[in-house]
Amino acid sequence: MTLTDRLDQYLRTAGLEAVWFARPNSFAWLTGGGDNVVDREGDIGVAAAGYDGDGVRVVANNIEAPRLRDEELDGDVTVATFDWHAESLAEAVADASPAPAAADFDVPGFESVDATQLRQPLTETQMKQCRDLARDTAEAVEAVARKVEPSHTELDVTAVLRQKLEGRGIATPVVLVGSAERAQSYRHYTSTDTELGDYALISVTVQRDGLHVSTTRAVAFDPPEWLMERTHKAARVETTALAATQVVGQRGGTAGDVFDAIQDAYAAVGWEGEWQNHHQGGATGFAGREWIATPGHEGEVALPHGYAWNPTIDGTKSEDTYLVSDDDIELLSGTGDWPTETVSAVGYDLELPRHTVLEL
């Protein structure tokens, strides 16, 4: 089903004439990667993209419209312009749209729409964009990771990594660098001036063209004796999650079904209940996580789609972005130039080469 097929079905089912998106991830989704962001702190972009059954239209003020036409939008997308001082984006959309309509931001008289399900599964074009993004991200992360030293601080590494990623046109909403000390204390090791010490975890969730990928790499200088073993066990949980994703997606199950398999895997590797200390990840795509799996979660497991599972075991983590389809589990965030070890899923006939610790 194409993107427009999904939207046509949504309009018919909801009894609407049009639907509008101003949140940056959904704006990018509808426009094929267009960026409506000027201020990264805002939830709503500077333009809205709408679909009414005939095509995509964009509404923007006179400041932003020329740049959007020239740099962000395909030539077949029409742009309606309003004076920046005359009305708000919401008012301009209300004036431009047939009714009844829905929007993913507050427009007077419009219904509300959550685009999460509309954005799944990924289209062929989106899958290619995701592959390119994931490859570029892995190359950047690994290049930085190979050059870190024990005396570098978490902030030192963060600054270099953001620069390398942003230089490839990749936005960096999440960059976490955890020193040996802090990676053992916190699951979200937001960067500080602490020196790396014996080992480090580097985790990112990044975005380009509206699409997101996540990955983690571990490097060690004088690693604790348990680091490799725990990393291996976390990778087994991740591999189990991927195997369950494929099977559940084929059968039409839910995120909660996958989570059951994750819980079982933690118990099987000797860390029962460890899942309670950190979220385990889930579907990715036009959000860092389109949904995060929890016990009993009813989210749809769509195929083919991107998934980023991120199990942790006290002091370590296993995380990459995969494209899971009916017949394949494809690693996206890899370069082929990082040490791996083959690990087996718990309860499924699946083995995968997973990234392990690079000893420097």
Side-chain angles (χ1 to χ4, degrees):
M1 183 180 292
T2 67
L3 185 151
T4 54
D5 288 338
R6 293 181 216 173
L7 288 169
D8 287 336
Q9 184 180 69
Y10 166 74
L11 293 179
R12 287 194 302 270
T13 302
L16 300 172
E17 294 296 322
V19 60
W20 292 84
F21 303 98
R23 295 185 181 276
N25 52 353
S26 292
F27 182 94
W29 168 73
L30 184 55
T31 60
D35 186 357
N36 69 341
V37 175
V38 172
D39 180 356
R40 289 192 181 183
E41 291 189 344
D43 292 332
I44 305 303
V46 296
Y51 179 79
D52 61 4
D54 293 327
V56 177
R57 289 192 294 158
V58 166
V59 171
N61 66 38
N62 62 296
I63 303 172
E64 307 300 338
R67 179 183 62 82
L68 292 171
R69 285 194 189 97
D70 293 344
E71 298 180 347
E72 299 295 343
L73 302 172
D74 292 336
D76 56 353
V77 175
T78 60
V79 181
T81 305
F82 65 96
D83 291 333
W84 68 266
H85 55 83
E87 56 186 342
S88 67
L89 177 62
E91 291 168 333
V93 167
D95 289 343
S97 177
D104 70 347
F105 67 118
D106 188 13
V107 178
F110 280 28
E111 296 182 17
S112 178
V113 59
D114 179 356
T116 300
Q117 292 304 317
L118 291 172
R119 297 193 300 249
Q120 302 174 66
L122 297 175
T123 67
E124 289 292 335
T125 298
Q126 292 161 358
M127 285 188 275
K128 181 182 184 305
Q129 290 174 313
C130 201
R131 287 187 182 98
D132 293 343
L133 169 60
R135 174 77 182 194
D136 286 350
T137 300
E139 288 177 351
V141 171
E142 292 180 7
V144 172
R146 289 181 183 279
K147 294 182 179 180
V148 300
E149 299 178 4
S151 61
H152 290 165
T153 69
E154 296 168 342
L155 285 172
D156 290 337
V157 180
T158 299
V160 174
L161 185 52
R162 285 191 186 276
Q163 181 183 42
K164 188 168 286 287
L165 289 164
E166 295 275 357
R168 297 178 179 224
I170 300 171
T172 55
V174 179
V175 176
L176 306 176
V177 178
S179 61
E181 173 189 342
R182 295 183 66 254
Q184 295 175 63
S185 300
Y186 311 109
R187 303 302 163 114
H188 288 150
Y189 27 83
T190 54
S191 303
T192 69
D193 60 1
T194 304
E195 292 185 356
L196 299 185
D198 292 342
Y199 78 97
L201 301 181
I202 301 173
S203 302
V204 301
T205 295
V206 299
Q207 180 268 130
R208 187 172 66 193
D209 299 321
L211 288 159
H212 295 68
V213 301
S214 300
T215 191
T216 292
R217 294 292 184 270
V219 295
F221 313 100
D222 184 19
E225 60 182 17
W226 47 260
L227 182 62
M228 295 295 290
E229 178 187 3
R230 292 184 190 177
T231 301
H232 175 85
K233 290 181 176 181
R236 288 198 68 195
V237 176
E238 184 193 18
T239 302
T240 304
L242 290 162
T245 298
Q246 185 179 58
V247 171
V248 170
Q250 291 168 341
R251 295 175 179 173
T254 67
D257 297 328
V258 179
F259 201 86
D260 290 342
I262 291 171
Q263 290 175 302
D264 291 343
Y266 271 112
V269 300
W271 288 83
E272 185 171 5
E274 181 72 1
W275 60 268
Q276 298 178 71
N277 296 318
H278 186 240
H279 81 75
Q280 301 300 302
T284 187
F286 284 88
R289 298 293 186 272
E290 294 283 12
W291 47 254
I292 291 174
T294 55
H297 195 297
E298 296 184 356
E300 177 188 359
V301 179
L303 302 178
H305 197 71
Y307 290 88
W309 299 103
N310 48 255
T312 61
I313 291 179
D314 193 11
T316 191
K317 181 180 186 180
S318 186
E319 176 184 35
D320 270 304
T321 301
Y322 279 81
L323 178 66
V324 182
S325 62
D326 282 326
D327 55 6
D328 195 15
I329 298 176
E330 176 190 353
L331 172 66
L332 301 183
S333 51
T335 65
D337 193 30
W338 191 268
T340 63
E341 64 171 340
T342 300
V343 302
S344 57
V346 173
Y348 295 88
D349 184 19
L350 177 68
E351 291 186 340
L352 291 175
R354 291 299 304 118
H355 292 122
T356 188
V357 181
L358 173 67
E359 296 194 54
L360 296 174

